[in-house]
Amino acid sequence: MTIAVTAPTAAGNRVLPFDPLFLAAVICLILIGFVMISSASIEVAAVRNSNPFFYMIRHGVFILLGLAAAIVVLRIPVSFWQRSGPWLLLVGFLLLVLVLAVGREINGSVRWIPLGPVNLQASEVAKFAMVIYLAGYLVRRLTEVRSSWKGIAKPALPLAFFVFLMILEPDFGAAVVLMGSVMGMIFLGGMKFSQFALIVIGCAVVIPSLAMLQPYRVVRLKTFLDPWADPFGSGYQLAQAQIAFGRGDWFGEGLGNSVQKLFYLPEAHTDFVFSVLAEEMGLVFALLVVGLYGLIAVRMFRIGRRAEKLQQFFMAYITYGFAIMLTGQALINIGVNVGALPTKGLTLPLVSYGGSSLVVSCVMIAIVMRVDYELKRLQASDAAATSVKRKKPKAGGTDEK
């Protein structure tokens, strides 16, 4: 299927088949990510890989792979994803099981499946699969979801399996993002507020309980409350991130002039790339990046709301799900960097180094753009049909005298 360049509106004008502000914000974040990964990783790559451009080149390849995947997905009708929901759920489940069996351990976590020169992060695919499946479920069981606990409890079973497997890796951050996305989708699907409030209260009890099961998570919580109590031990990472923000001030030290990336700040090109960005480019530019994520969220929710008004509920729910997942993960990562949240191993979508996260994020963006395109086609066809009806002369409308 070929995507046309323009689509007619009711007034006969032409509009773009995509949201230009949404696409511009996505492209800006990808380009900012490439520049910041290049800057933050040069010294680390020179020592670890004897090539200062190692991570920059790999990230550039990941960007090309993500764009190629996005172009392919743009040509796939949304109905394909609706039919494929159960199969994608099965793929996500198998990947989460497989990573526990043959996964590669990095920094104490088994989250990656080795595929030759690259690693596949199973949780990224699993989160994507759950959103697709749940959107289809909400369409099939919308009345049940809005009227009873039974409709809400059914998707809780696969969610529980996914969360359990993620915690075994462990990938507590991905589990929190997944639960938040599922709750948000069900709430936007029409769950009663009283039911939603009870679930939120339950999660507020369960999530801290899960955090307390592992001693290192308890240490992270204590460090979060006062990172300077042990600045050279458990609080080291967060303390160095705060130093980076302090050095950056309003307008930064200049691109490439970060000191914290010189082996002071661990994972400077992955989880803490936002801290390096704030140090080199300053608070003003960091707030601009936050604004870009805000713009993406607003445009995605607008597309989802338009789909809901046109009774295209599957399109609406996958758009809502991806919006919550992408922007929620971005807020958690930024919150960790500024010290507002406990440390989590979550990437900054579209910006941090990581092939799985970047490619899956590009696929999500492409599906939302496809939704926007199909909605505009639907609106154009409806407008054309209405125009034909108005122009059609009424039978017996003229009398001869």
Side-chain angles (χ1 to χ4, degrees):
M1 179 178 290
T2 303
I3 295 180
V5 177
T6 56
T9 63
N13 299 322
R14 295 282 184 175
V15 296
L16 293 172
F18 56 86
D19 187 326
L21 288 177
F22 174 60
L23 182 59
V26 171
I27 292 175
C28 284
L29 285 175
I30 291 175
L31 294 177
I32 289 171
F34 180 73
V35 172
M36 293 314 305
I37 295 302
S38 302
S39 174
S41 66
I42 287 179
E43 285 76 14
V44 175
V47 173
R48 291 182 182 176
N49 308 98
S50 301
N51 179 4
F53 304 110
F54 178 81
Y55 292 113
M56 182 189 75
I57 293 171
R58 283 177 66 89
H59 192 68
V61 172
F62 291 148
I63 290 175
L64 294 178
L65 289 175
L67 294 178
I71 291 171
V72 172
V73 170
L74 272 173
R75 305 176 72 88
I76 299 176
V78 177
S79 58
F80 168 82
W81 301 107
Q82 187 170 1
R83 295 191 304 269
S84 305
W87 296 106
L88 288 173
L89 187 72
L90 178 61
V91 170
F93 177 77
L94 292 176
L95 286 175
L96 289 176
V97 173
L98 185 62
V99 74
L100 294 175
V102 300
R104 175 179 295 177
E105 181 177 346
I106 301 176
N107 294 332
S109 298
V110 184
R111 304 178 186 177
W112 295 269
I113 300 173
L115 299 174
V118 298
N119 297 319
L120 174 65
Q121 189 168 356
S123 60
E124 294 292 337
V125 180
K127 290 188 296 182
F128 169 82
M130 179 58 75
V131 169
I132 297 291
Y133 167 78
L134 184 60
Y137 172 83
L138 289 175
V139 171
R140 295 190 302 270
R141 303 287 184 177
L142 189 58
T143 303
E144 194 174 359
V145 169
R146 291 177 174 177
S147 61
S148 68
W149 279 101
K150 183 180 178 182
I152 299 170
K154 286 180 179 179
L157 183 61
L159 174 64
F161 276 116
F162 274 41
V163 170
F164 176 71
L165 292 171
M166 288 178 180
I167 291 175
L168 289 180
E169 295 181 7
D171 194 349
F172 190 68
V176 171
V177 170
L178 180 60
M179 286 191 290
S181 301
V182 168
M183 288 173 55
M185 290 176 68
I186 295 177
F187 177 71
L188 292 172
M191 177 199 297
K192 295 178 182 177
F193 183 77
S194 58
Q195 294 174 321
F196 181 73
L198 287 175
I199 292 177
V200 170
I201 293 172
C203 289
V205 174
V206 172
I207 292 175
S209 301
L210 292 174
M212 296 298 178
L213 291 177
Q214 294 291 337
Y216 77 91
R217 293 195 188 114
V218 177
V219 172
R220 283 184 176 182
L221 289 173
K222 292 180 179 178
T223 300
F224 158 69
L225 296 174
D226 186 9
W228 296 101
D230 188 12
F232 298 104
S234 59
Y236 179 78
Q237 198 169 33
L238 187 53
Q240 296 302 317
Q242 292 184 357
I243 291 173
F245 275 90
R247 281 179 47 80
D249 204 14
W250 287 99
F251 299 104
E253 295 289 322
L255 184 63
N257 293 331
S258 169
V259 172
Q260 296 306 108
K261 69 182 181 182
L262 302 177
F263 304 99
Y264 290 102
L265 181 62
E267 309 299 333
H269 62 296
T270 54
D271 299 347
F272 283 86
V273 68
F274 190 74
S275 296
V276 177
L277 181 148
E279 183 183 3
E280 295 189 350
M281 307 303 293
L283 177 63
V284 173
F285 195 83
L287 291 176
L288 174 62
V289 172
V290 175
L292 289 174
Y293 282 110
L295 178 59
I296 287 175
V298 169
R299 305 309 288 189
M300 290 178 78
F301 273 103
R302 286 188 62 180
I303 293 171
R305 181 58 181 157
R306 195 166 78 249
E308 202 167 4
K309 287 181 178 179
L310 293 172
Q311 305 294 306
Q312 301 298 317
F313 293 110
F314 179 77
M315 295 184 185
Y317 296 142
I318 58 172
T319 303
Y320 289 150
F322 290 154
I324 296 170
M325 186 167 289
L326 288 172
T327 55
Q329 183 166 325
L331 287 177
I332 292 175
N333 179 277
I334 293 171
V336 168
N337 275 257
V338 301
L341 293 172
T343 305
K344 294 282 182 295
L346 287 174
T347 59
L348 186 59
L350 302 172
V351 175
S352 292
Y353 175 81
S356 299
S357 175
L358 182 58
V359 172
V360 173
S361 296
C362 287
V363 169
M364 291 181 184
I365 295 297
I367 292 177
V368 174
M369 290 179 64
R370 178 73 196 195
V371 167
D372 187 31
Y373 168 69
E374 291 195 13
L375 290 176
K376 288 176 178 176
R377 279 182 49 184
L378 180 62
Q379 288 177 307
S381 62
D382 289 346
T386 302
S387 178
V388 170
K389 287 181 181 179
R390 288 177 178 175
K391 291 180 180 179
K392 187 176 181 180
K394 295 182 179 180
T398 58
D399 293 325
E400 292 182 4
K401 294 183 179 181

